[in-house]
Amino acid sequence: MDDMLKEFVVEALDLATNVEEHLLSLERNPGDMNTLNAVFRSFHTIKGGAGFMNLSAMVSACHLTENLFDALRTGQVPVTPEAIEAALEASGFVADQLTALNNGTEPDKLSTMPKSLEKMLTDAIEMKGVSKKPAAAKAKPADTPKPVEKAAPPVAKKESDGELDWEAYFRAVTPPGTLPEAESEAAEEEEVHAAAPTQREETEAVKSSLSGAEIKQNAPAKEESIRIDAVKLNVLLEVAGESVQAANQAAVLLEKLSQFKFDGQAAPLMSALTETLTRASRYSTELQRATLATRMQPVGRLFQKFPRLIRELARDLGKEVDLNIAGAETEVDRVVVDSLYDPLVHMLRNALDHGIETAEERINANKAPRATISLKAWQEASSVMIEVTDDGKGMDAQRLRDKAISKGLINAHDARTDDEAFQLVFLPGFSTKEVASSVSGRGVGMDVVKTAVERHRGAIRIASQLGTGTTFLIRLPIELSIVPTMLVRTDGASLALPMATVQRVVELPETFESVGGQPVLRDLGRPLPVKSLGKILGYTPASERVGIVIAAPSPYILSVDAVDGTADLVIKPLTCISTPGITGTARSAEGELVLVISLSFLIDGCKTRERITA
């Protein structure tokens, strides 16, 4: 893909995503003229760039949708569910074409505009079949009449006299809204008249405006942001991390050198070296933080993809659901944003299919007929929290146990508490549905969710109340490459615990109370079980007299030999082997290899999956 096409695809994809969000908003507020105008301008902008790139199918779809929204905003056609459905289909078609281009498909290999989409848009413009369901327009593509000739005139790369189409070129490279009045007038002229003399006049106007001082003053705004290849950014982040680690190791060596006495000319050299290393350490840390900031993205870029998904799936299932989104401005690492789409899709589909009742069932249960699913994000210390909540029928812990036992996934002595029973939904092959459907029932979705979350050193928990609803809570590190940790030692091995789970450090006695054969220590008046980190990981602990109180749904104390302090570590994931409880490795400031304990492993009470499924 050449650079100009790549730039167009990136900009148009952003516009297409915003169009979808506007359309769903317009469905709730049909009289919102600002939204109507915004949708019209977005399709017009995409059409201009697509015409310059000679993407005829995209031009046709955008032009028909432009005609529709021009009729909607002038009051010639009312805002109906059929019009919204047609516009959503057009937006989806345009987004699919842009995604295909982004994935490397050649422009001449793109699919043509579907006849069914042409018919939906044309019928919406001419107010045909208003009383029919939107799905009815898709049900009989064989009966689709030919579209009206005037509906989608192609936009050529050159005008009839052989000159470049300056209007299309200018619209492709000018930021949306730079000349709103000229853009609106040009669109109306193009749609109503579509005559050669008018196009000639527009071309001359665009040529003169390109050389005008006003446009030159506005043009630099385009340079406020640049796009960088993600691979290059990752390399920069890795180099910045290694520079911080090298600076920390140099600081440790300098501290050891300072224990010796330097006389004569060596003394000022040591002083200068100390000052230089301090400055280098500070700058390398700032470089690393600045590089990390470039990878941060608001989760709203991910969340805005889900309203349409919920709308269409709810319609297919015959349920009435509203999706409420909060905390879209919360920032998280770009890699996390990219990888969370599939897990959140599984969770939302699961909530709709399993959790939300039909309108009749909700009325019988004294609930509002229209259900609510909430998608919320917020920052908590060094973690980002993502919560998916529904007000459906909740989860039956006993039914989950019985189903897992009948499938042979656990034995009768496992999952004794409700919290452990809820975690059974993450087991591979687990499903409460007897017959698989197109939405769920194959026992793979929620397992994918937990795997994806743990891949990024996160954890997921479930809280549910029968008859009230269910909440899924995901905890992820805001930054993937650097993790604030507490360094501990057991059997001579250096280990790192994520600070997100550490509450405090306590001194352990030589003897403990025992409850059910499990050592217990009272902390702030509550009895907490004591677990040996060394024994859990297979070490031979010598004298564990230090305890770490772990913040988990069921809090406990982790015993270790010693605590060496805290450190922000650059984590290297384990790629060749998989060790229960270990998420990656790092180097301490002294250059020692450190094993990093998994966040989900600690939150699950240091239980490995093998033990749960035994």
Side-chain angles (χ1 to χ4, degrees), residues 538-569:
Y539 292 103
T540 306
S543 176
E544 296 183 330
R545 290 292 175 264
V546 180
I548 314 293
V549 180
I550 301 297
S554 300
Y556 61 97
I557 297 175
L558 206 57
S559 61
V560 297
D561 290 350
V563 173
D564 293 340
T566 60
D568 290 346
L569 298 181

Side-chain angles (χ1 to χ4, degrees), residues 198-451:
T198 305
Q199 291 180 358
R200 185 71 55 83
E201 293 172 3
E202 290 179 356
T203 301
E204 293 302 323
V206 170
K207 287 180 179 178
S208 61
S209 63
L210 277 171
S211 58
E214 183 179 353
I215 302 302
K216 290 181 179 178
Q217 291 174 359
N218 292 335
K222 186 70 176 179
E223 304 300 326
E224 289 181 1
S225 63
I226 61 173
R227 299 186 184 277
I228 303 175
D229 191 285
V231 175
K232 296 178 181 178
L233 200 59
N234 292 339
V235 171
L236 177 61
L237 180 61
E238 185 173 352
V239 171
E242 293 294 342
S243 68
V244 170
Q245 187 171 333
N248 291 340
Q249 291 177 353
V252 172
L253 293 175
L254 182 64
E255 185 179 355
K256 293 180 178 179
L257 280 174
S258 63
Q259 297 175 1
F260 297 93
K261 185 176 181 180
F262 293 91
D263 298 324
Q265 295 181 349
L269 286 176
M270 277 296 297
S271 178
L273 178 60
T274 301
E275 181 183 350
T276 302
L277 283 179
T278 301
R279 190 167 64 252
S281 178
R282 183 174 68 252
Y283 288 150
S284 62
T285 301
E286 291 178 1
L287 170 63
Q288 185 183 49
R289 294 299 179 188
T291 308
L292 282 169
T294 62
R295 286 170 49 116
M296 304 298 284
Q297 287 187 353
V299 293
R301 295 174 62 89
L302 174 66
F303 286 1
Q304 64 186 0
K305 299 178 182 180
F306 297 127
R308 185 181 178 189
L309 170 74
I310 293 294
R311 176 184 180 274
E312 294 182 351
L313 185 57
R315 183 187 62 193
D316 293 342
L317 294 174
K319 299 178 179 180
E320 300 177 12
V321 183
D322 286 328
L323 177 64
N324 295 333
I325 294 177
E329 71 283 356
T330 305
E331 290 192 335
V332 69
D333 194 292
R334 177 190 62 82
V335 177
V336 174
V337 173
D338 294 342
S339 63
L340 272 181
Y341 177 75
D342 285 340
L344 286 176
V345 166
H346 282 298
M347 294 168 68
L348 292 170
R349 288 165 68 93
N350 187 74
L352 263 173
D353 194 28
H354 290 277
I356 299 299
E357 314 96 329
T358 62
E360 294 78 11
E361 291 172 337
R362 292 180 63 83
I363 291 173
N364 293 334
N366 295 322
K367 293 183 177 181
R370 195 169 188 86
T372 300
I373 295 179
S374 299
L375 184 57
K376 181 181 178 183
W378 70 93
Q379 184 176 338
E380 188 174 289
S382 60
S383 300
V384 61
M385 315 295 288
I386 298 178
E387 182 181 88
V388 179
T389 303
D390 67 74
D391 62 351
K393 56 190 174 185
M395 299 170 66
D396 188 336
Q398 187 56 48
R399 182 171 177 239
L400 295 176
R401 291 189 197 95
D402 295 341
K403 182 62 67 173
I405 293 172
S406 67
K407 287 179 174 288
L409 298 175
I410 63 171
N411 58 50
H413 301 290
D414 289 328
R416 295 181 179 180
T417 67
D418 286 354
D419 182 67
E420 291 175 338
F422 295 149
Q423 296 296 312
L424 295 174
V425 301
F426 296 120
L427 295 179
F430 182 87
S431 177
T432 56
K433 279 204 166 185
E434 300 298 337
V435 179
S437 67
S438 60
V439 179
S440 62
R442 301 190 184 277
V444 294
M446 300 309 292
D447 176 46
V448 170
V449 171
K450 186 166 187 178
T451 301

